[in-house]
Amino acid sequence: MKTVIIFGVSAKLGTGYQVSQLIKQCHPEWRCIALVRDADFAKQLAQQNIETYVGDATDVELVKEIGKQAGCDATIISTLGGETGNYIAQRNIIDCAEQVGIKQMVLVTSLGCGDSWSTLSLRAKQAFGNAVREKSLAEVWLQTSTLNYVILRPGGLRDGELTNNGQCYFAQEVHGFVYRKELAKIIMDKIANQQFDNRAYSVVDPSLTVNY
């Protein structure tokens, strides 16, 4: 039985939430653990047989306890967003994972992170460059850790149903969008197939036009 810990599950129904729902639909035998900030939302997830903890990913003791309860064979999925504090939270997750012996992680950042920074337009850098830089720091912390990992850098995230057209691109400049559900499916496929190759991939759905 696989165990996954999801950081970044919120009532706003983002990627982390979509991952939790796909697990329940496609892999109900998996053990799913989520850290959320809202206690009422945690109760909703608990009703779906998702183990929930209420708190913040910057809480060292809480994150370490979640890791201990999950066990060293667990896989971490982090879809944390936000401009401020992203790096600190991600660093804490990675550090705690190492301390409790967890060996693999899926980190979701965004196009423009790391070596794809130069592909962002000046307007994009001005609009959300700080968030991208925080996420880039998190990428480096993971890349220099002892964990096996895969980093996914999605394009613009949108709401929509699965298209099965989402693609991962390595060392290529791409632009575009991807549905959150599609990204969630890609995350799950990476875990199910144990595709932790210590690489960073850009993720877009070429069937969605840029002016969508």
Side-chain angles (χ1 to χ4, degrees):
M1 180 179 68
K2 289 186 181 295
T3 298
V4 297
I5 310 169
I6 311 174
F7 294 95
V9 181
S10 72
K12 295 180 180 179
L13 310 186
T15 302
Y17 175 77
Q18 299 300 340
V19 172
S20 73
Q21 298 307 292
L22 274 182
I23 288 174
K24 292 295 102 182
Q25 293 170 24
C26 303
H27 294 285
E29 75 281 5
W30 289 14
R31 181 187 177 196
C32 185
I33 303 170
L35 175 64
V36 301
R37 291 183 175 180
D38 183 87
D40 289 335
F41 184 56
K43 292 177 182 177
Q44 294 179 34
L45 294 178
Q47 292 174 354
Q48 300 176 21
N49 201 32
I50 295 172
E51 298 176 41
T52 56
Y53 292 81
V54 178
D56 191 275
T58 58
D59 185 332
V60 175
E61 293 307 316
L62 175 59
V63 173
K64 190 181 297 185
E65 179 60 26
I66 293 171
K68 288 178 180 177
Q69 293 300 321
C72 59
D73 291 330
T75 298
I76 291 174
I77 304 167
S78 180
T79 64
L80 292 174
E83 177 175 315
T84 304
N86 181 282
Y87 166 60
I88 298 300
Q90 304 281 27
R91 176 174 173 171
N92 185 46
I93 292 167
I94 295 162
D95 287 350
C96 290
E98 289 185 305
Q99 291 166 21
V100 302
I102 291 175
K103 302 175 183 66
Q104 55 191 32
M105 178 173 178
V106 180
L107 175 61
V108 178
T109 58
S110 65
L111 285 184
C113 286
D115 56 6
S116 65
W117 172 258
S118 62
T119 67
L120 287 183
S121 66
L122 177 60
R123 183 177 179 181
K125 289 177 180 177
Q126 292 173 337
F128 48 84
N130 283 344
V132 171
R133 292 171 73 191
E134 285 256 348
K135 292 175 182 178
S136 295
L137 289 171
E139 287 189 358
V140 172
W141 201 259
L142 178 58
Q143 289 165 333
T144 54
S145 74
T146 59
L147 275 66
N148 294 317
Y149 64 85
V150 61
I151 295 170
L152 300 177
R153 299 168 175 166
L157 291 169
R158 298 288 185 266
D159 291 324
E161 297 304 315
L162 286 172
T163 67
N164 293 309
N165 291 321
Q167 300 292 326
C168 294
Y169 300 86
F170 176 67
Q172 295 182 55
E173 179 177 346
V174 295
H175 301 274
F177 299 97
V178 64
Y179 290 145
R180 290 178 176 87
K181 282 187 178 181
E182 191 73 16
L183 177 59
K185 181 179 182 297
I186 290 171
I187 292 169
M188 285 187 52
D189 288 346
K190 291 289 185 185
I191 296 172
N193 297 313
Q194 284 294 294
Q195 294 175 336
F196 295 90
D197 55 7
N198 300 336
R199 288 184 171 184
Y201 294 91
S202 299
V203 183
V204 298
D205 184 338
S207 69
L208 303 181
T209 56
V210 174
N211 61 355
Y212 165 77

